[in-house]
Amino acid sequence: MKKDKLRFFKRLKRFNYGYFRIKIYDLKLLKLFESRRDVSKLSLKLEVSPELIEQRMQEFGRSLAPYYKDYVSTTSSDVMAMSFELATFTLALCEIAKPKKILDLGSGFSSFCFRYWIKNHSPNSEVLTVDDAPVWLDKTREFLRHNDLPGNGLITWDELTVGGYGMFDLVFYDFGSFPVRKSSLNRVLDFASLPSITILDDMHSGDYGLHVKKTLRERTMECFSLLRYTTDKFRRYAYLAIR
Ligand SMILES: C[S@@+](CC[C@H](N)C(=O)[O-])C[C@H]1O[C@@H](n2cnc3c(N)ncnc32)[C@H](O)[C@@H]1O
């Protein structure tokens, strides 16, 4: 009886403030409302219509599709790689914002995308790819070389934090585990120049999403849900922050 009571109160403890905040974060209706509002806000900010963004995404989708299929079947998996939706959105955004210096945090298909865009659309831009797992830097380098893309500009997180790499006008944040991502977020946002755009993947996770939104608020960075453009079959989606 005593044990049962203990178990009951332990279970009750789960229903704390954090639990309800995540439950609210996960409400589908709220997400849809936020997405609708942010699509309009972002469109005004970037001075480009949602329809044009989607048209560009379709165009990039046609050229990226065979490479994505190859990457998730030979090198990684579709659960770990950025989604195809996010890949096409990211390149559509590159076409719109034309970043000169890109920081790609979390090596993989994103590293391919940026190098593909630079080679074919913006030869004066540059990308630095960073990972906390050297083994994934090697796998990414191999995939890049296999596709005739440069295998340089790939470094570890420790190398990046030593300094000397400057600031970036596009930051793509998708590396490490969630605890690592949470603890590195402020450090990463320090690399975002003024003005700059940061893309943050995996905002479907309530705990991580709430942490990101709080951090962006503290840093007075504007943020926009990319639910409309980037939702994938695992219900993952990204956010975009502007400095
Ligand atoms: C979400 S993944 C990064 C995805 C990357 N931006 C991409 O577009 O493919 C986060 C981290 O997991 C590691 N990783 C990548 N692919 C993996 C896999 N298939 N299995 C285990 N870890 C992986 C890498 O260290 C990477 O930084």
Side-chain angles (χ1 to χ4, degrees), residues 71 76-77 80-82 106-110 131 133 136 174-176 181:
Y71 181 74
S76 187
S77 67
M80 290 307 289
M82 76 194 298
S107 70
F109 195 69
S110 52
D131 210 304
W136 280 101
D174 181 29
F175 97 139
R181 248 187 254 191

Side-chain angles (χ1 to χ4, degrees), residues 68 71 75-83 86 104-113 130-137 139-140 172-177 181 201-202 236:
Y68 190 76
Y71 181 74
T75 308
S76 187
S77 67
D78 52 2
V79 188
M80 290 307 289
M82 76 194 298
S83 70
L86 181 57
D104 164 39
L105 279 142
S107 70
F109 195 69
S110 52
S111 321
F112 169 88
C113 285
V130 179
D131 210 304
D132 60 343
V135 61
W136 280 101
L137 287 175
K139 284 181 199 263
T140 298
F172 184 82
Y173 193 40
D174 181 29
F175 97 139
S177 60
R181 248 187 254 191
D201 197 12
D202 294 321
R236 297 179 299 182

Side-chain angles (χ1 to χ4, degrees), residues 27-63:
L27 285 177
K28 206 170 162 190
L29 208 63
L30 278 188
K31 285 190 182 192
L32 288 175
F33 173 76
E34 181 188 47
S35 164
R36 202 176 258 218
R37 182 199 63 198
D38 289 359
V39 163
S40 311
K41 271 173 49 189
L42 186 62
S43 166
L44 286 173
K45 196 89 187 173
L46 299 176
E47 296 179 355
V48 55
S49 70
E51 291 72 26
L52 191 70
I53 295 176
E54 280 165 346
Q55 189 188 317
R56 291 271 174 279
M57 286 176 67
Q58 277 183 15
E59 287 160 9
F60 278 113
R62 282 191 282 278
S63 38

Side-chain angles (χ1 to χ4, degrees), residues 225-237:
S225 162
L226 298 177
L227 184 99
R228 165 165 165 170
Y229 303 114
T230 64
T231 302
D232 74 348
K233 61 182 176 185
F234 304 116
R235 300 198 175 280
R236 297 179 299 182
Y237 64 97

Side-chain angles (χ1 to χ4, degrees), residues 58-120:
Q58 277 183 15
E59 287 160 9
F60 278 113
R62 282 191 282 278
S63 38
L64 286 185
Y67 298 105
Y68 190 76
K69 225 173 159 185
D70 185 31
Y71 181 74
V72 297
S73 55
T74 64
T75 308
S76 187
S77 67
D78 52 2
V79 188
M80 290 307 289
M82 76 194 298
S83 70
F84 186 66
E85 290 80 356
L86 181 57
T88 57
F89 175 85
T90 301
L91 290 201
L93 181 74
C94 282
E95 271 304 277
I96 294 160
K98 307 220 180 296
K100 284 276 168 278
K101 269 188 85 184
I102 302 167
L103 180 59
D104 164 39
L105 279 142
S107 70
F109 195 69
S110 52
S111 321
F112 169 88
C113 285
F114 291 125
R115 285 166 180 78
Y116 175 92
W117 177 71
I118 289 171
K119 182 178 176 182
N120 296 297

